[in-house]
Every structure is written in structure tokens, then in C-alpha cells.
Amino acid sequence: MANIIVEAKDICLTYHDLSGETEAISHLSFAVQEGEFVAIVGPSGCGKTSVLSLIAGLMPPSSGEIRLSGNAPGYMLQRDHLLDWRTIEGNVLLGLQVKGLLSEQTHALALSLLDTYGLSAFANNYPRQLSGGMRQKVALIRTLAFSPDLLLLDEPFSSLDYQTRLRASDEIHDIIKNEKKTAILVTHDIAEAISMSDRILVFSARPATIKSEHIVTLTAEPHPIARRNAPEFKEYFDKIWKELDNGETKR
């Protein structure tokens, strides 16, 4: 049986401001096993990103507990946040430098990742010289350079055009699986969730609870673009769409 990398137990989160209290998450429990790729979908503003922030330790839950196993999670945001005045190599190494973790070993790992995933030829280029999909690959490699056991992906393809988004999701999914990482993806895109994940958690409207869970089994090659053509794909899509559109969202 695989090890559990992250476990959320009866998590609640309430925001406090001048207007009062807002309950964002209510008694949420789930676990993610080592090597698993889990997607989270739900209505806008339901607390999906807040869950990633809790797992990353950026804020504490109001109640409940989050247990993590292994190295600290790596967090990949909607934007790549590459610095235009630093080379690709410089951007990949920046986080290691800031945290005082840059060494011969971590430097070699970063260069190896750039080489393995076809970016070593661009190491001395600048972000403006790369396509959107390539920039996202750089952002992922920057995260992988920390050797995290768990990757938190917060809508990492939302800023890309549709064609680039498909290609980037395919490449980044393959990198994550090749590196044997565990991943949690937050996305508004149902098709993206089905094509990339092993399991999907459907959140309710705020305050977030788990409305349903789907184990994704598709008869297709294990790559997101190919999985979109699986005969079972539409069935998953229609079922999740109805769950999300059951009076909770405005499309």
C-alpha cells in the first residue's frame, strides 16, 4: 500500500474581517497517496486555492489538522513569475539562492532537469524569449529543484491560450509522472482535471466540503491529450458538469 503524502482531517477555515466572518471551508477531510495525481474542481470562490495554501503552510486552519509526509511541498502558481532580467538558469536557481539551499548538488540537479526536459539550450536565454508553455516548464523545474515530494498546482495553465495549454498540460503531466511526484491540481477546467488526474475531488459551493469523488479510469495512452479521446471521457465530463451546475454555479 502506498504511503500517504498529505492528509487533511476535519479542516475548517473561517476568514475574519471588518464585515464579520466568512466560512470558507467546513469539516473537509481527504488524503493523497504517494505518486497520485489528484485534481480539485468546484465553483469559483469555493475555497480550492485556500486548501492549497493550508497544505503549503501559508496559513493555519481554524480547526482540524493537516499531516504531511516527506519534504516540504512545492507550489506552482497561475503565473510563472519568472524575472525578466535573469536568465532561465538564473530563474531556476533563484529560489535555492533565496533560501540558502544553492550548492553544487542542487545546482547540478537544476541543470540536469533543464537538460532532461529540453531546456538546456535556453539556459542563457531570458524569459521573454520563451513561449508561454516553455515558461511554465521553467517554473515547474524551478519548483522541482527543491526536490519536493508533493507538488501543489494552482491553475498553472490558466494564462495560456488553448493550444498552448493543451501542449503544456501534456508536457508537465509527463514530467511530474516521470519524476514520480505526487500532485494536487486546482482547476476550473473539467476536461483538464479528467485528462490529467488519477482522482477528482468535486467541492461544493462555499463553505467547501467534498461533494463527490471520482476515480478516473480511461482506456487510453497515459498522456492528457490522448486521454481526452478515451471513450469514457464524455461520461466523466457530463457527470462532473452536472454536479457543478446543480444550482451552485452561473455559467
Side-chain angles (χ1 to χ4, degrees), residues 14-85:
T14 301
Y15 292 111
H16 301 268
D17 56 31
L18 295 176
S19 62
E21 296 184 347
T22 300
E23 189 180 12
I25 299 170
S26 178
H27 301 285
L28 185 70
S29 297
F30 66 92
V32 179
Q33 293 186 342
E34 183 178 8
E36 193 176 17
F37 197 123
V38 173
I40 297 174
V41 299
S44 295
C46 74
K48 300 184 296 296
T49 294
S50 294
V51 169
L52 293 191
S53 296
L54 291 171
I55 294 172
L58 301 179
M59 58 184 179
S62 300
S63 63
E65 182 182 10
I66 294 177
R67 296 177 179 175
L68 291 171
S69 175
N71 296 336
Y75 206 150
M76 188 172 171
L77 302 170
Q78 295 179 20
R79 302 281 180 177
D80 56 62
H81 295 290
L82 301 181
L83 301 180
D84 288 336
W85 59 89

Side-chain angles (χ1 to χ4, degrees), residues 30-225:
F30 66 92
V32 179
Q33 293 186 342
E34 183 178 8
E36 193 176 17
F37 197 123
V38 173
I40 297 174
V41 299
S44 295
C46 74
K48 300 184 296 296
T49 294
S50 294
V51 169
L52 293 191
S53 296
L54 291 171
I55 294 172
L58 301 179
M59 58 184 179
S62 300
S63 63
E65 182 182 10
I66 294 177
R67 296 177 179 175
L68 291 171
S69 175
N71 296 336
Y75 206 150
M76 188 172 171
L77 302 170
Q78 295 179 20
R79 302 281 180 177
D80 56 62
H81 295 290
L82 301 181
L83 301 180
D84 288 336
W85 59 89
R86 290 181 70 104
T87 64
I88 298 308
E89 181 180 341
N91 271 284
V92 168
L93 299 178
L94 179 61
L96 294 169
Q97 291 173 330
V98 169
K99 294 191 175 183
L101 298 175
L102 185 60
S103 64
E104 285 188 17
Q105 183 178 3
T106 56
H107 193 171
L109 172 62
L111 293 180
S112 173
L113 289 167
L114 285 172
D115 183 52
T116 299
Y117 299 110
L119 289 170
S120 59
F122 302 92
N124 294 319
N125 287 45
Y126 291 88
R128 62 181 177 275
Q129 297 172 295
L130 272 59
S131 68
M134 291 173 71
R135 290 174 63 116
Q136 286 300 88
K137 282 177 68 176
V138 172
L140 177 59
I141 289 171
R142 178 183 58 197
T143 304
L144 291 173
F146 287 97
S147 299
D149 291 307
L150 173 66
L151 293 170
L152 306 174
L153 312 174
D154 188 4
E155 298 192 68
F157 314 114
S158 61
S159 64
L160 305 176
D161 64 78
Y162 183 71
Q163 185 176 2
T164 303
R165 182 172 184 149
L166 286 179
R167 186 166 55 249
S169 66
D170 213 51
E171 292 179 343
I172 286 177
H173 174 273
D174 287 353
I175 292 171
I176 291 170
K177 286 297 185 180
N178 188 57
E179 295 295 321
K180 297 180 172 57
K181 299 298 182 182
T182 307
I184 301 175
L185 167 72
V186 160
T187 179
H188 283 94
D189 189 326
I190 299 171
E192 187 172 270
I194 298 167
S195 68
M196 295 188 74
S197 69
D198 305 309
R199 180 162 55 105
I200 299 172
L201 304 179
V202 180
F203 279 15
S204 68
R206 191 173 66 195
T209 59
I210 293 180
K211 187 173 184 179
S212 66
E213 179 179 344
H214 302 269
I215 306 297
V216 181
T217 305
L218 300 173
T219 51
E221 292 294 318
H223 307 288
I225 291 178

